[in-house]
């Protein structure tokens, strides 16, 4: 434990010299960051780190990238999902790869001039986003050749094949990301800061009314820091009948180092491994 709101779990048999056979997954939200190391030869989860309720994500992350010996290893593949206030989803029929700068006019926050583009072919849109300049430089310097994804990517990756109306809620200790899909269409996405169940209830009702969610036909899928029968869960039970916890890699990755923790805590982090 290096921080009052952080945790590090490591397989005692993890040999850092095997890093070239491993993938590094890094998830950065508005108020937290976490990473996982997966040995792709044995399909074993070798390490998980999580830091919640950070007041300065760029600075805390920069310090972690500099001082954490695991993050300085030479990995097979590095995937990073990062939150950005400058992120838009362009329907495929309107996306113009030859004129990317036209989309920058929709960004409201002053950030890096570099545009990142990630297609979501299954959902018919392309994500375009920028990062804070310091964050952009930090990731470029510390994690060479990393693949950057919109924070939306691992959340969408957790939507089951063939799902119809699905509300995915991914929680940190102080916020949640909401994504609503209908078949192969992305209908809604947003991120909210919350301090208690009352605030969560307010935003949940706002989402329900804004996009006219049918309570009976919609499945809610949960991941992150939420527990069955806690106040957030009880709030959801007031409106929805179908509520499930996400654990998309349970059959693909040996995650025994998480056996004493709720499996869904790091579902969205681990779902990064199936993002392309």
């Amino acid at each position: 434990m290096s921080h009052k709101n952080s945790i590090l779990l490591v397989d005692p048999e993890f040999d850092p010299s095997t890093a070239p056979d491993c993938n590094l997954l890094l998830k950065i939200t508005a108020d937290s960051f976490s990473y996982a190391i997966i040995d792709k030869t044995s399909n074993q989860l070798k390490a998980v780190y999580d830091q919640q309720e950070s007041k300065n994500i760029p600075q805390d992350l920069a310090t972690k990238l500099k001082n954490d010996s695991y993050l300085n290893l030479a990995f097979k593949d590095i995937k990073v999902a990062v939150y950005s206030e400058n992120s838009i989803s362009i329907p495929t029929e309107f996306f113009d790869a030859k004129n990317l700068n036209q989309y920058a006019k929709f960004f409201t926050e002053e950030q890096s001039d570099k545009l990142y583009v990630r297609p979501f072919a299954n959902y018919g849109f392309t994500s375009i986003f920028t990062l804070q300049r310091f964050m952009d430089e930090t990731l470029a310097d510390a994690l060479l050749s990393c693949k950057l994804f919109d924070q939306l990517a691992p959340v969408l990756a957790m939507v089951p094949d063939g799902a119809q109306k699905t509300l995915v809620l991914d929680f940190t200790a102080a916020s949640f990301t909401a994504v609503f899909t209908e078949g192969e269409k992305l209908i809604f996405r947003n991120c909210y800061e919350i301090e208690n169940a009352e605030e969560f209830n307010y935003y949940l009702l706002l989402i329900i009314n804004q996009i006219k969610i049918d309570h009976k036909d919609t499945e809610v899928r949960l991941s992150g820091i939420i527990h069955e029968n806690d106040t957030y869960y009880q709030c959801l039970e007031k409106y929805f009948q179908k509520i499930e916890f996400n654990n998309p890699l349970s059959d693909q990755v040996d995650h025994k180092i998480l056996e004493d923790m709720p499996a869904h805590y790091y579902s969205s982090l681990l779902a990064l491994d199936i993002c392309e």
Side-chain angles (χ1 to χ4, degrees):
M1 301 282 289
S2 60
H3 185 279
K4 67 177 182 179
N5 294 319
S6 69
I7 186 171
L8 173 64
L9 302 172
V10 181
D11 183 342
E13 298 180 358
F14 176 47
D15 181 357
S17 68
T18 64
D21 297 323
C22 299
N23 283 359
L24 172 65
L25 313 174
L26 175 60
K27 176 188 171 186
I28 306 166
T29 75
D31 52 35
S32 70
F33 62 89
S34 54
Y35 73 73
I37 298 172
I38 298 179
D39 188 317
K40 299 301 290 183
T41 301
S42 62
N43 282 327
Q44 290 182 317
L45 181 61
K46 292 298 184 181
V48 168
Y49 175 84
D50 185 26
Q51 180 166 322
Q52 294 288 323
E53 299 182 272
S54 169
K55 301 301 182 182
N56 189 332
I57 287 292
Q59 188 59 58
D60 287 349
L61 180 61
T63 300
K64 191 65 180 174
L65 287 168
K66 179 180 179 181
N67 297 327
D68 190 322
S69 59
Y70 291 120
L71 293 177
N72 290 295
L73 299 174
F75 294 99
K76 178 180 181 180
D77 207 359
I78 301 175
K79 297 181 179 182
V80 181
V82 57
Y83 167 81
S84 172
E85 294 184 2
N86 282 355
S87 178
I88 55 175
S89 303
I90 307 296
T92 301
E93 58 267 33
F94 300 120
F95 177 66
D96 182 2
K98 296 180 180 179
N99 193 17
L100 293 178
N101 288 331
Q102 68 175 313
Y103 302 115
K105 64 184 179 182
F106 297 107
F107 296 148
T108 58
E109 300 295 325
E110 184 176 351
Q111 299 191 332
S112 168
D113 293 331
K114 186 172 182 179
L115 291 176
Y116 293 97
V117 178
R118 279 288 171 187
F120 288 80
N122 291 345
Y123 288 91
F125 73 92
T126 296
S127 175
I128 301 176
F129 59 98
T130 63
L131 304 179
Q132 293 180 24
R133 192 175 302 278
F134 181 71
M135 177 74 78
D136 210 353
E137 294 172 351
T138 296
L139 292 174
D141 291 342
L143 301 175
L144 298 177
S145 302
C146 69
K147 298 178 181 177
L148 278 178
F149 296 85
D150 187 310
Q151 185 186 348
L152 180 66
V155 180
L156 277 179
M158 294 188 293
V159 178
D161 292 338
Q164 293 306 308
K165 297 178 181 179
T166 306
L167 177 63
V168 185
L169 303 176
D170 187 41
F171 291 81
T172 71
S175 68
F176 74 98
T177 297
V179 171
F180 184 73
T181 62
E182 189 169 342
E184 296 183 345
K185 293 182 180 180
L186 172 67
I187 306 298
F188 176 87
R189 61 171 290 184
N190 211 339
C191 197
Y192 304 90
E193 293 183 9
I194 49 174
E195 292 187 1
N196 50 51
E198 288 73 23
E199 284 193 359
F200 174 61
N201 188 78
Y202 169 80
Y203 287 121
L204 182 61
L205 285 176
L206 182 66
I207 295 168
I208 291 172
N209 292 326
Q210 184 175 356
I211 54 180
K212 297 178 173 59
I213 292 179
D214 186 328
H215 302 196
K216 295 181 180 179
D217 293 338
T218 296
E219 180 180 26
V220 178
R221 303 192 66 87
L222 307 175
S223 59
I225 303 179
I226 182 172
H227 305 272
E228 189 169 3
N229 297 323
D230 70 8
T231 54
Y232 293 157
Y233 191 91
Q234 290 170 359
C235 179
L236 286 162
E237 285 186 309
K238 293 189 298 184
Y239 309 108
F240 297 97
Q241 300 174 2
K242 305 173 185 177
I243 305 175
E244 300 287 342
F245 286 98
N246 269 318
N247 193 18
L249 299 187
S250 58
D251 298 328
Q252 302 174 36
V253 176
D254 178 355
H255 53 275
K256 62 182 179 182
I257 66 171
L258 298 178
E259 61 185 6
D260 294 328
M261 304 186 70
H264 61 273
Y265 260 28
Y266 301 109
S267 292
S268 56
L269 171 64
L270 299 180
L272 245 180
D273 203 42
I274 56 177
C275 293
E276 295 296 341

